Amino acid sequence: DTEVTQTPKHLVMGMTNKKSLKCEQHMGHRAMYWYKQKAKKPPELMFVYSYEKLSINESVPSRFSPECPNSSLLNLHLHALQPEDSALYLCASSRLLAGSSYNEQFFGPGTRLTVL
Amino acid sequence: DQQVKQNSPSLSVQEGRISILNCDYTNSMFDYFLWYKKYPAEGPTFLISISSIKDKNEDGRFTVFLNKSAKHLSLHIVPSQPGDSAVYFCAASGGAGGTSYGKLTFGQGTILTVHP
């Protein structure tokens, strides 16, 4: 199984709503990532989890709250978002090789988020 | 500060000919480079990678060349097919350990169109 799955595919939410994005992989990868991608731009890293612990937070606003309940699952909890947060949210996973930057990340299909 | 640059926003090629996509980087700590292909509203798909100890890596129709002294890499697709039409992102990782570990830095992408 070489797939990263993400749910939902599309999400529309108001600025006062609370919602969550989910990501799952069964490749035994111990690193998982959240990216945000705006139209015609490259993916922008938000968070990295290594062995279920948050290792990188790219100064993301606190209205985005990541969670890694186990080695296969990654969530992104959303609260009080702004219209400018509308984007494609991508999850990725990779192996973790100690002391190595060999880092082939495998991406899910993304969640298209629209904030009204 | 754009550490990975793809200076050609778009490239148009005839079916059967060679497509050459270019990428330049500035950070000498990068030691692993990847190419991803992305269709609209989908996650990036990993294509091919190369470590800094090599200057060429080949996989079927795809070949990546790395010129470390020039801090330049290129992706060659031969022969090009209409199904190759997509956005191609170059990405780099490096500085194993510390806060850079697990982070991919992406270029802005090049839109490849292969005409039948």
Side-chain angles (χ1 to χ4, degrees):
Chain A
D1 183 358
T2 58
E3 203 180 5
V4 177
T5 58
Q6 289 187 244
T7 55
K9 277 194 88 164
H10 301 275
L11 178 62
V12 179
M13 60 187 288
M15 289 191 282
T16 57
N17 292 158
K18 277 186 183 180
K19 297 284 184 186
S20 296
L21 309 184
K22 295 185 186 307
C23 173
E24 192 166 2
Q25 57 88 14
H26 294 287
M27 294 180 275
H29 290 167
R30 301 307 296 273
M32 295 186 77
Y33 311 79
W34 280 115
Y35 287 85
K36 172 181 176 178
Q37 186 175 25
K38 295 279 231 179
K40 299 188 194 299
K41 296 284 188 186
E44 200 177 302
L45 182 67
M46 299 174 74
F47 302 104
V48 181
Y49 272 83
S50 309
Y51 297 105
E52 296 88 69
K53 288 193 176 4
L54 184 65
S55 58
I56 297 178
N57 176 343
E58 291 285 286
S59 304
V60 179
S62 59
R63 57 186 185 270
F64 295 91
S65 174
E67 180 199 18
C68 191
N70 60 55
S71 60
S72 301
L73 290 174
L74 186 66
N75 297 322
L76 186 63
H77 303 297
L78 314 172
H79 174 54
L81 294 193
Q82 306 294 311
E84 60 265 27
D85 296 321
S86 299
L88 182 68
Y89 287 83
L90 294 161
C91 173
S93 71
S94 73
R95 293 178 299 161
L96 258 183
L97 301 173
S100 168
S101 53
Y102 291 16
N103 187 9
E104 285 141 2
Q105 295 182 18
F106 294 89
F107 285 81
T111 294
R112 172 68 60 189
L113 173 68
T114 303
V115 182
L116 301 175
Chain B
D1 170 26
Q2 233 183 308
Q3 298 184 68
V4 178
K5 295 179 192 178
Q6 293 175 254
N7 291 318
S8 299
S10 62
L11 175 67
S12 185
V13 168
Q14 206 65 32
E15 182 178 6
R17 307 294 283 262
I18 184 170
S19 296
I20 300 176
L21 298 115
N22 293 303
C23 179
D24 297 295
Y25 63 96
T26 56
N27 189 339
S28 56
M29 293 296 289
F30 289 145
D31 60 0
Y32 197 62
F33 304 89
L34 308 92
W35 284 95
Y36 285 86
K37 169 180 173 179
K38 187 178 185 302
Y39 294 116
E42 290 185 13
T45 302
F46 169 72
L47 272 177
I48 193 168
S49 60
I50 188 168
S51 77
S52 58
I53 60 173
K54 293 186 173 183
D55 54 19
K56 178 182 173 182
N57 189 26
E58 205 169 340
D59 184 3
R61 296 187 298 116
F62 301 93
T63 303
V64 57
F65 295 92
L66 175 63
N67 182 334
K68 271 186 71 177
S69 59
K71 293 193 176 71
H72 176 84
L73 63 153
S74 60
L75 174 68
H76 292 212
I77 307 173
V78 183
S80 302
Q81 299 172 354
D84 296 328
S85 298
V87 180
Y88 288 78
F89 288 101
C90 166
S93 71
T99 57
S100 61
Y101 180 65
K103 182 170 179 175
L104 283 183
T105 302
F106 284 87
Q108 294 292 102
T110 297
I111 301 169
L112 173 66
T113 305
V114 180
H115 299 283

